[in-house]
Amino acid sequence: SIVGFGVHVASYLDKKIVMLSGPTDRIDYRKKDRIKTIYPKKRCTIHKKKLYLKNKNCSCMKNIDENEVLKAVKSYI
């Protein structure tokens, strides 16, 4: 899941989670031990400068390595 509703529901149901975190973070999640967070290899210019609300052209999610996602999913299976 990306950070958002899916993570909240899975966390409530006490499921293991692989979370893709582009511009946001998991700091507010209580069950951190059941969440594997995948961050982008590099942050986009928008989020380096903390322009969250002013610009919607973020490319952080494009910088997440699909091999890291696959590795995290396999570790839970």
Side-chain angles (χ1 to χ4, degrees), residues 23-24 33 38 44 47 55 63 68 73-74:
T24 54
D33 59 323
I38 310 292
C44 69
H47 292 102
N55 197 324
N63 296 322
E68 277 192 61
V73 170
K74 284 182 176 181

Side-chain angles (χ1 to χ4, degrees), residues 18-20 36-42 63-76:
V18 175
M19 183 170 71
L20 308 181
K36 290 190 184 217
T37 305
I38 310 292
Y39 293 99
K41 292 288 183 192
K42 63 178 184 172
N63 296 322
I64 289 180
D65 183 9
E66 62 272 4
N67 292 319
E68 277 192 61
V69 176
L70 184 59
K71 183 176 144 185
V73 170
K74 284 182 176 181
S75 75
Y76 275 155

Side-chain angles (χ1 to χ4, degrees), residues 46-47 49-58:
I46 295 161
H47 292 102
K49 295 180 180 180
K50 308 254 187 244
L51 302 173
Y52 300 105
L53 301 174
K54 296 180 182 176
N55 197 324
K56 302 281 183 186
N57 297 319
C58 170

Side-chain angles (χ1 to χ4, degrees), residues 1-13 15 17 19 29:
S1 179
I2 58 169
V3 176
F5 182 69
V7 173
H8 288 290
V9 171
S11 180
Y12 176 78
L13 297 173
K15 301 295 183 185
I17 303 163
M19 183 170 71
Y29 292 98

